């Protein structure tokens, strides 16, 4: 198999080749390593060394031997470093598998590398001081998004067909949109977060992946969904293959609420135009489109995020230091992380309780809104990928409020669905100025099958996998080599 063939295939296609014995697992692993070696000197998406051999996986798994990557945050593999994009946790080796990692292994996924994340995942771009910036394969002078930017960049560049990602405010959907891949944030609790946490970031966080195709996302969700023993949320597993089966559905008459602005920001004209185009396409499919949006108090949403994130990061740092010499630890982290920790340490339980009460009201308000609509269609981000270095998580003098307000301007459409726990997808439907544009679809909790069915319709109407970025493993080695030297 040639590298250019590998780089254009999705995971389901590679699985089919393995089953027909047209390629071996070892050959695929070597191809993935070669693909990463070709693109990563430009992208800066990989943390540490590419693995010589994958962590053990089930030879009988349905995707046995298909290459995969682990984002360097939350999901852990026993004996593999887990450093969270931070100098504070550099060298930390995970003592055990997370529940999700156990399911990746059972599925047969061959982990090739770890992918980059901003420090502790709290940014809309992946530019940690510890590892340097991750760049967009469509234009390396621009960001790949965050916090799953490393994973999205490698998938978009053809180095991997899919990769682990997680999302606590848009961290699957934002990089998926900016890099032109598919990103699904599942319903809260659908994919297990344990055993080290029962509800990461007070329920904001969802674990899953970014993928090259909708069918890959459906197949992967079939394999890893359902609660694990001890999880806070008990989610019963679906019938085998139910999410893949949903791809064959062609729902008609859906009630779709469309908006191109939010209380936190408005989409650029080119992005708004793509949302309008997709709304018109849904009407052609037979759906009923209405311009409408839920009533959201953006200041309360930002307060909720600041409280949950700052308390969680402060608790992490305090645990790492054993509660001693926190200020010494803060000298090792970025200025925005330090600001969030200090804010988190200043809060009382009443502050957390107040944020939880608003989360409850917000979730119920969205449930009422979705009594009227089946889907919500919005932008993912207000713009296409912005320049590397523009969103600086280590700039001096910033406080927690300033950082949260800044992030909300870059990503005003996604965090709502983390607070409510609803599923949402980023669908890479368009291009403008040589850069991808994604649209977001959200639905009621547990409606992943509906989102996958509609996304499959959009993919069929406009097959984005045919688009290839300038930095791609299937093409000639990219001439641009400024990856990290550009900042030094």
């Amino acid at each position: 198999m040639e590298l250019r063939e590998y780089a254009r295939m999705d995971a389901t296609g590679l699985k089919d080749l393995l089953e027909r014995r047209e390629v071996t697992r070892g050959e695929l692993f070597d191809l993935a390593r070669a693909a990463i070696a070709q693109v990563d000197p430009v992208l800066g998406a990989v943390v540490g060394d590419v693995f010589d051999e994958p962590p053990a996986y089930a030879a009988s798994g349905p995707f046995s031997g298909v290459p995969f990557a682990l984002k360097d945050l939350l999901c852990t593999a026993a004996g593999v470093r887990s450093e969270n994009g931070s100098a504070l946790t550099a060298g930390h080796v995970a003592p055990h598998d997370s529940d999700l990692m156990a399911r990746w292994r059972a599925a047969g996924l061959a982990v090739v590398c770890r992918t980059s994340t901003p420090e502790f995942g709290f940014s809309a771009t992946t530019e940690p001081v510890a590892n340097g910036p991750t760049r967009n394969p469509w234009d390396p002078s621009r960001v790949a998004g965050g916090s799953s930017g490393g994973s999205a960049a490698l998938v978009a560049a053809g180095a991997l067909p899919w990769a682990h990602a997680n999302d606590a405010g848009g961290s699957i959907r934002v990089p998926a949109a900016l890099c032109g891949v598919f990103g699904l944030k599942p319903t809260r609790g659908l994919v297990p977060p344990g055993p080290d946490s029962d509800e990461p970031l007070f329920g904001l966080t969802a674990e899953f992946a970014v993928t090259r195709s909708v069918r890959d996302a459906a197949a992967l969700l079939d394999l890893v969904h359902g609660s694990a023993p001890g999880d806070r949320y008990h989610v019963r597993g679906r019938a085998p293959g139910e999410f893949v089966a949903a791809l064959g559905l062609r729902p008609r008459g859906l009630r779709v609420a469309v908006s191109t602005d939010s209380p936190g920001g408005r989409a650029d004209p080119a992005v708004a135009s793509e949302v309008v185009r997709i709304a018109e396409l849904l009407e052609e499919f037979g759906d009923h489109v209405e311009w409408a949006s839920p009533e959201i108090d953006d200041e309360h949403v930002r307060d909720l995020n600041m409280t949950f994130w700052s308390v969680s990061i402060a608790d992490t740092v305090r645990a790492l230091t054993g509660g001693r010499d926190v200020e010494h630890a803060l000298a090792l982290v970025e200025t925005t992380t330090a600001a969030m920790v200090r804010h988190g340490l200043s809060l009382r339980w009443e502050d957390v309780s107040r944020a939880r009460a608003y989360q409850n009201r917000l979730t119920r308000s969205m449930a009422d809104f979705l009594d009227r609509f089946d889907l919500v269609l919005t932008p993912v981000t207000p713009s296409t990928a912005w320049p590397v270095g523009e969103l600086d998580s280590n700039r001096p003098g910033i406080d927690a409020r300033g950082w949260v307000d800044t992030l909300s301007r870059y990503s005003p459409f996604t965090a709502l669905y983390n607070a409510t726990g609803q599923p949402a997808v980023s669908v890479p439907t368009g291009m403008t100025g040589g850069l991808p544009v994604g649209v977001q679809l959200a639905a009621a909790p547990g409606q992943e099958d509906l989102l996958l069915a509609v996304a499959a319709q959009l993919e069929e109407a406009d097959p984005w996998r045919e688009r290839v970025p300038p930095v791609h493993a299937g093409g000639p080695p990219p001439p641009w080599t400024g990856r990290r030297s550009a900042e030094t």
Side-chain angles (χ1 to χ4, degrees):
M1 187 179 196
E2 298 291 333
L3 185 58
R4 59 183 174 79
E5 298 174 275
Y6 162 83
R8 298 296 293 268
M9 298 195 74
D10 68 353
T12 302
L14 294 175
K15 168 180 174 285
D16 292 343
L17 291 180
L18 284 165
E19 290 175 345
R20 295 198 301 268
R21 299 186 178 182
E22 295 180 24
V23 67
T24 68
R25 288 179 244 169
E27 287 169 342
L28 282 187
F29 193 78
D30 289 343
L31 284 164
R33 284 170 50 89
I36 291 169
Q38 174 140 319
V39 300
D40 198 56
V42 171
L43 300 180
V46 174
V47 176
D49 296 328
V50 176
F51 300 153
D52 292 328
E53 294 182 356
Y57 60 84
S60 59
F63 282 89
S64 180
V66 174
F68 190 68
L70 280 185
K71 179 181 176 181
D72 192 33
L73 187 71
L74 293 182
C75 183
T76 58
V80 174
R81 286 191 177 190
S82 180
E83 298 174 304
N84 309 299
S86 178
L88 181 61
T89 46
H92 173 72
V93 175
H96 55 253
D97 281 0
S98 63
D99 291 330
L100 180 56
M101 183 63 206
R103 295 186 184 187
W104 297 143
R105 291 187 195 265
L109 304 187
V111 175
V112 183
C113 63
R114 294 179 295 139
T115 63
S116 191
T117 173
E119 188 167 62
F120 296 111
F122 195 39
S123 182
T125 179
T126 302
E127 301 179 55
V129 171
N131 299 312
T134 296
R135 298 177 179 276
N136 195 309
W138 291 93
D139 179 349
S141 72
R142 295 181 178 267
V143 302
S147 64
S148 305
S151 290
L154 288 180
V155 173
L160 295 168
W162 52 15
H164 166 239
N166 37 46
D167 189 318
S171 290
I172 288 175
R173 291 158 289 159
V174 168
L178 299 185
C179 290
V181 298
F182 183 70
L184 165 65
K185 182 200 83 68
T187 299
R188 181 180 297 143
L190 183 65
V191 176
D196 294 329
S197 177
D198 62 348
E199 196 179 39
L201 279 164
F202 297 90
L204 298 183
T205 301
E207 290 270 28
F208 193 49
V210 288
T211 63
R212 186 164 298 147
S213 63
V214 178
R215 68 177 184 173
D216 280 357
L220 198 58
L221 194 59
D222 271 325
L223 296 172
V224 302
H225 81 281
S227 54
D231 280 355
R232 179 182 291 266
Y233 300 98
H234 180 70
V235 180
R236 194 179 301 276
R238 304 281 193 100
E242 187 170 331
F243 290 115
V244 168
L247 303 182
L249 303 177
R250 291 295 179 264
R252 295 287 185 271
L254 298 174
R255 301 163 299 167
V256 184
V258 182
S259 177
T260 57
D261 56 18
S262 78
R266 175 171 295 178
D268 290 351
V271 174
S273 177
E274 180 62 16
V275 174
V276 171
R277 185 181 77 85
I278 297 305
E280 293 170 348
L281 187 56
L282 293 176
E283 284 185 318
E284 291 179 19
F285 291 165
D287 299 328
H288 306 294
V289 171
E290 178 181 337
W291 286 86
S293 58
E295 293 185 8
I296 303 298
D297 186 322
D298 183 61
E299 184 174 353
H300 278 99
V301 173
R302 282 183 280 126
D303 284 346
L304 178 155
N305 274 289
M306 185 165 67
T307 297
F308 288 171
W309 272 96
S310 64
V311 168
S312 297
I313 295 174
D315 190 55
T316 296
V317 171
R318 189 160 40 192
L320 288 168
T321 63
R324 301 180 301 274
D325 202 7
V326 171
E327 282 301 318
H328 175 73
L330 295 188
L332 298 175
V333 301
E334 298 170 16
T335 57
T336 53
T337 300
M340 294 298 288
V341 170
R342 291 191 177 101
H343 181 71
L345 293 174
S346 76
L347 295 179
R348 302 169 299 170
W349 171 247
E350 297 95 295
D351 300 305
V352 177
S353 180
R354 191 180 305 114
R356 288 290 248 177
Y358 178 68
Q359 183 182 29
N360 176 57
R361 295 195 301 274
L362 179 63
T363 301
R364 294 178 187 280
S365 173
M366 278 302 302
D368 290 341
F369 185 75
L370 288 169
D371 278 343
R372 295 168 45 207
F373 296 100
D374 302 298
L375 292 174
V376 183
L377 170 64
T378 71
V380 179
T381 56
S383 70
T384 54
W386 54 90
V388 169
E390 179 178 302
L391 183 56
D392 183 2
S393 59
N394 198 39
R395 71 180 189 265
I398 192 165
D399 61 10
R401 168 60 70 186
W403 184 236
V404 170
D405 289 351
T406 297
L407 292 181
S408 72
R409 292 196 296 272
Y410 281 84
S411 181
F413 298 100
T414 52
L416 168 64
Y417 303 111
N418 298 87
T420 63
Q422 296 168 236
V425 294
S426 174
V427 189
T429 56
M431 297 286 295
T432 182
L435 294 169
V437 179
V439 300
Q440 177 174 240
L441 291 168
Q447 292 293 302
E448 280 81 1
D449 47 359
L450 175 61
L451 291 174
L452 288 164
V454 175
Q457 286 181 281
L458 295 174
E459 184 181 33
E460 185 178 286
D462 192 0
W464 57 77
R465 285 170 53 199
E466 296 177 3
R467 306 179 195 137
V468 176
V471 180
H472 194 263
W480 193 92
T481 57
R483 173 186 164 187
R484 294 180 186 174
S485 60
E487 283 72 45
T488 59

